[in-house]
Amino acid sequence: MADEAGVTKTLVLATSMAVVGSTFQFGYNTGVMNAPQKTIEQFYNVTFLNRYGHSITASTLNLLWGFTVAVTAVGGMIGSLCAGVAAERYGLKKSMLYNNITAILGAALMGFSELAGSFEMLIIGRFVIGINSGINMGIAPMYLTEIAPVKYRGVFGTLGQFGVVTSMLLSQVLGLRWLLGTPTLWPLLLALTGVFAIYQLVVIPFCPDSPRFLLVKMNKEEEAREALQWLRGNHYDVKEEMNNMRIEHQANASERKTTIIELFTVSYLRKPLIIAIVMQLSQQLSGINAVFYYSTQLFIAAGIPEEYTGLTTVGVGVVNVVMTIVSLLLIEHAGRRILHLIGLGGMCVCSVILVVLLNLHRTTVISWLTLVPILLFVAFFQTGPGSIPWFITAELFNQSARPAAVSIAGLVNWLGNFTIGLAYPSINAEIGGYTFIIFAVLLAIFWIFTYFRVPETKGRSINEITALFQPEGEYLGGKPNKYQTKL
């Protein structure tokens, strides 16, 4: 019931606005280049031939393609740095609204690139949509965390990842050769990302800004109460949530704005920042983007016939979605920390098994058997590392420090994304089937860090979580509490 859980139709509407309009952009543009790779490479070849009178060399084409894939992460780094500034200046709702300008511009550049005979337009469009995704993945998890009831905060945080994987699967299906992954329809495939922006533009006027932002940052208590009441329903008593936000507002009012430098120099801010950074690295350096960006190549290297690689890539997308739903069901029961540990541990084991299979004598059975650790690798990723790093950053910081912390964590995430997207093809060309042993070692390191340093945040308010890192006697006017601990 709404009056018990605070989950209403209006809350669902606001959630869909953030998930479809923002996180879909990131997921769709992560997966969309995978299936039609050969088709778009042919466009590059034809364009080069028409301009210069000769075909592009294989090495140049590989470099150009790698840059086309990875340039989205460069835009993402810039966008992630802008996310905190935008949240501070405009609030979460307006930041999402204004960010649709970059989504529509990027979609137009990519959609008209073939008509203009310009692969540069496609690359610039990917860069612009990267900026959009960087801002979205900084803003949307904050918005989802701040509008969610405490009881369901983990579920709502995971919904952001559900949006990512659902749109990734959509892009993989639409990119099949018998749908939009054709020599004539691939520009439409890339331009469809603009549809998500249009949806958000239509829905967002009916949704409120974050009540926490309205009260804690803007000191607009009545507007915050109205927004919270709209989200929870007229029959839900919002007094307790308002009181919790007032406590944070009082604590925030006595503090000046947290700077990025202070996040690194102040002990009780540096500790959660290190956790947030390592959590983001555990996601991006796990090897998952080697699968998401280059699964077609990986399946071919495993000996799977090329005509089946499109379907196997879709299979990866299906596992993505299914396991994210499982994570949604588990997140508030098992907790963030244990799911992250299970995910990292399972991925590490799968990486080792994959290395063994890729280096065995190739037979039909071995080739298809290689699918098992790849699909399990993706399944374990979505168990924890796929969603938890994005929203746990928003849980670790109060309102004054959250935007800056989210910007730094997002920058690190996109830097890891760019590194793997650009470096994997070269590393794989050098050591082939042994590439995933590097990821296995990194995953083991991240597992150890998570076990010893990451606290459980399930069921705790933001005030209770931030108290974990406060020196004793410095929390809420010098009153130690049961949540303080040494980390």
Side-chain angles (χ1 to χ4, degrees):
M1 294 174 61
D3 60 340
E4 294 177 349
V7 176
T8 63
K9 293 179 180 179
T10 48
L11 178 59
V12 172
L13 179 66
T15 302
S16 74
M17 179 275 295
V19 172
V20 176
S22 294
T23 65
F24 265 42
Q25 297 285 7
F26 176 52
Y28 189 86
N29 289 288
T30 295
V32 74
M33 301 295 283
N34 197 333
Q37 176 179 345
K38 296 297 182 183
T39 301
I40 299 177
E41 283 181 340
Q42 183 60 28
F43 161 65
Y44 282 16
N45 236 328
V46 171
T47 303
F48 204 86
L49 180 63
N50 290 338
R51 285 186 190 176
Y52 306 109
H54 60 85
S55 298
I56 192 171
T57 64
S59 59
T60 303
L61 181 60
N62 285 335
L63 181 62
L64 193 59
W65 181 258
F67 185 70
T68 303
V69 171
V71 74
T72 305
V74 178
M77 284 184 256
I78 296 172
S80 67
L81 288 176
C82 296
V85 176
E88 284 283 320
R89 180 171 298 181
Y90 304 115
L92 303 182
K93 177 182 174 180
K94 286 185 178 179
S95 295
M96 288 187 284
L97 176 65
Y98 298 153
N99 194 32
N100 286 305
I101 296 172
T102 58
I104 293 172
L105 176 60
L109 285 167
M110 293 186 294
F112 289 108
S113 59
E114 187 194 31
L115 185 63
S118 171
F119 55 74
E120 293 88 350
M121 280 180 61
L122 195 159
I123 293 172
I124 295 171
R126 290 275 297 169
F127 172 75
V128 172
I129 210 70
I131 295 176
N132 173 272
S133 297
I135 295 174
N136 278 332
M137 294 311 293
I139 298 295
M142 277 198 287
Y143 185 79
L144 291 169
T145 298
E146 293 186 10
I147 68 172
V150 172
K151 181 179 180 181
Y152 298 111
R153 199 175 59 228
V155 173
F156 275 69
T158 308
L159 282 173
Q161 182 65 13
F162 180 73
V164 171
V165 299
T166 302
S167 56
M168 191 182 301
L169 174 59
L170 177 64
S171 71
Q172 291 165 342
V173 172
L174 293 177
L176 292 171
R177 285 176 299 203
W178 52 86
L179 292 176
L180 298 183
T182 68
T184 56
L185 292 178
W186 66 263
L188 175 61
L189 174 69
L190 302 188
L192 280 178
T193 191
V195 172
F196 310 132
I198 294 171
Y199 174 80
Q200 188 170 75
L201 288 171
V202 171
V203 175
I204 202 168
F206 303 100
C207 302
D209 210 329
S210 157
R212 186 178 298 277
F213 172 83
L214 291 171
L215 177 60
V216 178
K217 294 301 294 183
M218 302 299 293
N219 195 26
K220 297 180 178 179
E221 181 164 338
E222 184 57 28
E223 288 187 30
R225 188 196 65 77
E226 290 175 359
L228 191 59
Q229 198 72 67
W230 186 91
L231 290 165
R232 301 292 181 260
N234 292 328
H235 302 293
Y236 184 80
D237 188 353
V238 299
K239 288 182 180 179
E240 184 177 351
E241 284 192 73
M242 286 296 295
N243 286 335
N244 285 334
M245 288 192 291
R246 285 192 194 98
I247 292 172
E248 184 178 347
H249 177 44
Q250 292 167 3
N252 191 58
S254 65
E255 300 175 358
R256 58 187 178 84
K257 178 183 174 182
T258 302
T259 65
I260 288 179
I261 292 176
E262 286 171 333
L263 286 174
F264 288 96
T265 58
V266 178
S267 175
Y268 69 86
L269 295 174
R270 184 174 62 248
K271 290 176 181 177
L273 181 66
I274 291 172
I275 291 173
I277 287 173
V278 176
M279 292 286 279
Q280 298 291 345
L281 290 175
S282 73
Q283 181 188 86
Q284 292 300 325
L285 301 186
S286 64
I288 194 63
N289 280 331
V291 177
F292 288 162
Y293 288 152
Y294 302 107
S295 63
T296 300
Q297 293 182 8
L298 183 61
F299 292 137
I300 292 173
I304 294 173
E306 190 169 348
E307 59 267 27
Y308 296 115
T309 55
L311 291 175
T312 51
T313 295
V314 170
V316 168
V318 171
V319 171
N320 248 339
V321 172
V322 171
M323 289 308 299
T324 301
I325 294 173
V326 172
S327 179
L328 276 169
L329 299 175
L330 292 176
I331 191 71
E332 292 298 353
H333 297 285
R336 288 80 154 132
R337 182 175 176 272
I338 187 64
L339 289 179
H340 201 66
L341 286 170
I342 291 172
L344 293 175
M347 292 175 76
C348 183
V349 172
C350 289
S351 295
V352 174
I353 295 173
L354 182 59
V355 169
V356 173
L357 290 175
L358 287 174
N359 288 280
L360 288 176
H361 178 68
R362 193 64 44 78
T363 65
T364 301
V365 174
I366 293 296
S367 294
W368 286 102
L369 193 59
T370 306
L371 274 176
V372 176
I374 294 175
L375 294 177
L376 286 176
F377 184 85
V378 173
F380 279 115
F381 174 76
Q382 294 303 348
T383 300
S387 59
I388 291 172
W390 281 115
F391 71 83
I392 199 171
T393 300
E395 292 185 321
L396 292 174
F397 296 90
N398 62 21
Q399 191 75 33
S400 67
R402 189 176 300 127
V406 166
S407 289
I408 293 172
L411 175 64
V412 171
N413 186 285
W414 283 103
L415 182 60
N417 187 317
F418 175 77
T419 301
I420 299 301
L422 191 63
Y424 174 78
S426 299
I427 296 173
N428 189 57
E430 290 294 325
I431 61 177
Y434 292 99
T435 304
F436 271 76
I437 203 67
I438 298 174
F439 298 130
V441 172
L442 290 170
L443 285 161
I445 294 171
F446 293 135
W447 190 95
I448 293 170
F449 178 89
T450 301
Y451 184 83
F452 287 104
R453 304 301 295 176
V454 177
E456 181 55 70
T457 60
K458 180 188 73 169
R460 290 174 171 173
S461 70
I462 300 297
N463 291 330
E464 292 166 352
I465 295 168
T466 55
L468 296 171
F469 307 99
Q470 292 277 358
E472 192 165 330
E474 291 189 17
Y475 179 67
L476 296 183
K479 297 179 181 179
N481 64 82
K482 65 181 180 179
Y483 296 105
Q484 289 179 331
T485 185
K486 292 183 179 180
L487 291 173

